[in-house]
Amino acid sequence: MRTVKLLINGQLVNGHKNIDVINPATGKAFMQIPVASEAQALEAVVAAKAAFPGWAATKIEDRQAMLRKLADRLQENAEEFAKILVLEQGKPLAEAAAEVLYAETFLRYFAAFNSSMETIQDDDEMQVEVYRKPLGVVVGIAPWNLPLLIGANKLGPALVTGNTIILKPAPTTSVTSLMLGELAKDIFPAGVINIIADENNLGPILSSHPDVAKVSFTGSTVTGRKVAQTAASSLKRLTLELGGNDAGIVLNDVDVSKIAERIFAGAFMNCGQVCIALKRLYVHENQYDEMCDALANIANNTKVGDGLDNGVKIGPLQNFMQFEKAQKYLGIAARDGKVIAGGAVLDRQGYFIQPTIVRDIDDSSPLVSEEQFAPILPIIKYSDVNDVIKRANNSEYGLGGSVWSSDIIRAKEVASQISTGTVWINHHLHFGPHIPFAGAKQSGLGVEFSKEGISEFTQCSVISVAK
Ligand code: NAD
């Protein structure tokens, strides 16, 4: 049976106790992981602090090479990572394999980053140079929906820019992150990377620690606010990637048969548990019935089951709490709208619900106004495009959104009025390491990915010389 350990100060160690890891497809434990004590979390901070000066002074080419090596090792072990990701997270094997590949690809992109000095003025009066310096100890905190990818997206930028890091995945999905620690152990100097698991108790200890310079947090908006509070005492640098309630707006000129599959994929990937999943769909009244029928038809023909089984497109909810939350939203769907596909829990072990399509529902329903994070899509009718833009924007969230149309100029005109970090046209839920990813409003603070996002792991420092 596979075991994993914590990575603290270059050593793979046991925790203060072990906890079960539940496979959401069965509701039963498939392995155990060690969880760190508070003392071990503090040890990780001490190790990261001690390793920082040496790592910051390491040539960028060497840091890049080590990150590339981590990506190579991940690639070599991709099959095992993907299988264990299915067991711990629930997603279908193809999605898990894609997440492993994305993690590797993102690591390679970060490894290519070079924050060389920039001269912004050099004339008779003055020479002004801008340097990018590492911050110190970074804490990366990840959620349970894309655990490996989100962890890699914190490690890569922190390390290439010369910071050291403590990564803390979510309690229900720590296995693949700890496996990444096994690979990292022999590549990086002791203390540069530390990866610990917890029982949902160590986040505040890490994010409030005075020796931590930056917290890169991905998770819910409620927890993000708490992280901001605990980080305030020492004014830590913060990147917060939080919740979303992405709206899709379908204009009245689409070919429903061409876009329905893409809309479905944008809403139901990872069982609807993606921050940038399409969570409410606004369709013009002229094509409303046709779109509802098309999406219900796809939902009825989508195989739900254990992610390791052939042909499965939708797995279980990741954990019992989320399963219960999804059932609450199923009740709301039946109360506030008309369920035209799905609507029930699967009659089997594990945390499964049917992919559910709900029509004749309006903005006042919590299924529309809240982030449901479940495989349930409400479809709302509209008649006036200016009105629907207002309704799409009427949310505390501002992560992503999409506009669907045969006329790109018209779609761009609508997209420019959507107050979110990303707006897709004729697709949804696309992201890449070179594309800045930012949440507007209560969906986040700062940017991830791209040169801009990586620069958030540095302190801008100017040297100005009078001539
Ligand atoms: P969560 O906020 O409950 O937990 C996220 C992480 O924070 C976990 O590792 C948890 O242990 C830790 N944590 C809990 N309390 C803490 C505290 N007080 N201080 C510091 N850390 C603490 O989120 P979740 O339920 O694991 O994930 C789902 C949420 O994540 C959804 O809202 C989703 O939209 C969001 N999400 C956002 C993005 C993005 O990039 N914007 C990506 C994925 C998920």
Side-chain angles (χ1 to χ4, degrees):
M1 160 95 108
R2 185 83 165 77
T3 57
V4 283
K5 297 206 169 183
L6 312 173
L7 177 62
I8 300 175
N9 200 18
Q11 302 296 318
L12 293 174
V13 297
N14 292 323
H16 76 120
K17 65 175 188 177
N18 287 339
I19 58 166
D20 285 343
V21 187
I22 306 294
N23 175 353
T26 61
K28 297 195 170 68
F30 73 97
M31 68 183 280
Q32 289 207 315
I33 52 159
V35 290
S37 63
E38 285 190 25
Q40 285 178 306
L42 298 178
E43 244 176 72
V45 178
V46 171
K49 189 182 174 187
F52 173 64
W55 183 244
T58 301
K59 282 197 299 196
I60 177 125
E61 293 76 14
D62 293 342
R63 297 199 302 250
Q64 291 175 322
M66 286 183 235
L67 265 179
R68 278 198 302 274
K69 206 162 175 191
L70 183 62
D72 292 345
R73 298 296 318 276
L74 183 58
Q75 185 182 26
E76 287 156 22
N77 292 280
E79 213 172 298
E80 189 195 12
F81 268 84
K83 275 198 187 128
I84 293 195
L85 191 52
V86 175
L87 293 174
E88 72 170 339
Q89 207 284 335
K91 64 189 63 190
L93 187 57
E95 277 186 31
E99 182 172 340
V100 178
L101 180 63
Y102 261 55
E104 180 208 325
T105 309
F106 274 65
L107 283 175
R108 290 194 197 286
Y109 175 86
F110 299 134
F113 179 80
N114 196 335
S115 56
S116 49
M117 182 273 289
E118 201 186 342
T119 303
I120 54 166
Q121 185 180 346
D122 194 2
D123 53 26
D124 294 344
E125 271 177 36
M126 234 178 287
Q127 187 195 47
V128 182
E129 295 171 342
V130 181
Y131 292 81
R132 289 275 168 190
K133 294 184 176 166
L135 297 165
V137 177
V138 170
V139 163
I141 298 179
W144 45 257
N145 59 344
L146 295 152
L148 182 68
L149 177 59
I150 292 174
N153 293 345
K154 305 206 178 298
L155 288 180
L159 297 176
V160 77
T161 48
N163 303 282
T164 55
I165 187 164
I166 299 138
L167 177 66
K168 193 207 80 60
T172 53
T173 53
S174 296
V175 184
T176 46
S177 300
L178 295 174
M179 286 166 59
L180 200 61
E182 288 173 0
L183 302 183
K185 174 187 170 285
D186 295 328
I187 300 173
F188 294 88
V192 168
I193 297 189
N194 305 273
I195 305 182
I196 59 174
D198 75 338
E199 290 183 283
N200 221 22
N201 59 323
L202 298 180
I205 289 166
L206 294 171
S207 62
S208 62
H209 197 291
D211 289 337
V212 170
K214 176 185 170 85
V215 182
S216 173
F217 172 84
T218 304
S220 64
T221 296
V222 172
T223 313
R225 290 192 194 108
K226 289 185 195 158
V227 171
Q229 269 168 1
T230 49
S233 59
S234 58
L235 282 185
K236 293 183 203 319
R237 281 19 182 188
L238 279 180
T239 306
L240 303 176
E241 292 296 350
L242 309 177
N245 191 12
D246 288 16
I249 299 177
V250 181
L251 301 184
N252 62 355
D253 60 9
V254 295
D255 180 340
V256 169
S257 66
K258 271 196 183 152
I259 62 170
E261 288 278 0
R262 255 183 279 164
I263 289 181
F264 188 83
F268 288 88
M269 192 191 136
N270 202 21
C271 197
Q273 304 165 116
V274 185
C275 53
I276 44 171
L278 203 170
K279 298 192 176 110
R280 50 195 170 120
L281 185 69
Y282 292 91
V283 182
H284 190 269
E285 58 189 355
N286 288 352
Q287 290 179 295
Y288 187 74
D289 291 341
E290 192 188 352
M291 180 62 82
C292 289
D293 292 348
L295 288 171
N297 186 41
I298 299 169
N300 285 330
N301 288 294
T302 298
K303 189 169 171 189
V304 183
D306 188 321
L308 290 176
D309 291 347
N310 275 341
V312 164
K313 289 279 167 24
I314 297 183
L317 277 304
Q318 198 281 316
N319 55 70
F320 186 69
M321 220 169 83
Q322 198 61 29
F323 182 45
E324 285 196 315
K325 208 169 139 194
Q327 290 175 68
K328 181 194 91 178
Y329 282 115
L330 281 183
I332 292 171
R335 182 193 73 195
D336 295 351
K338 186 171 169 200
V339 175
I340 52 169
V345 169
L346 252 57
D347 184 17
R348 55 162 289 172
Q349 60 176 11
Y351 310 147
F352 292 94
I353 73 164
Q354 297 168 330
T356 298
I357 304 287
V358 188
R359 58 171 289 168
D360 302 330
I361 187 161
D362 64 43
D363 293 352
S364 64
S365 172
L367 184 67
V368 180
S369 62
E370 295 175 6
E371 181 188 43
Q372 74 269 32
F373 227 57
I376 310 171
L377 180 67
I379 310 179
I380 312 111
K381 193 186 282 184
Y382 79 89
S383 53
D384 176 72
V385 80
N386 292 320
D387 178 54
V388 82
I389 292 168
K390 274 195 210 129
R391 288 158 65 188
N393 286 336
N394 183 24
S395 169
E396 66 168 12
Y397 294 117
L399 201 52
S402 55
V403 182
W404 303 76
S405 173
S406 306
D407 179 344
I408 300 300
I409 294 175
R410 193 171 162 229
K412 277 194 180 169
E413 172 62 29
V414 175
S416 68
Q417 298 174 70
I418 305 293
S419 51
T420 56
T422 305
V423 188
W424 297 275
I425 293 176
N426 292 335
H427 65 159
H428 199 112
L429 212 163
H430 176 267
F431 58 98
H434 57 301
I435 305 171
F437 181 70
K441 300 192 272 185
Q442 307 260 327
S443 283
L445 199 68
V447 180
E448 273 198 314
F449 319 151
S450 74
K451 200 173 171 207
E452 207 176 328
I454 301 173
S455 298
E456 290 203 5
F457 287 78
T458 64
Q459 174 62 48
C460 175
S461 169
V462 171
I463 294 188
S464 175
V465 185
K467 286 190 179 166

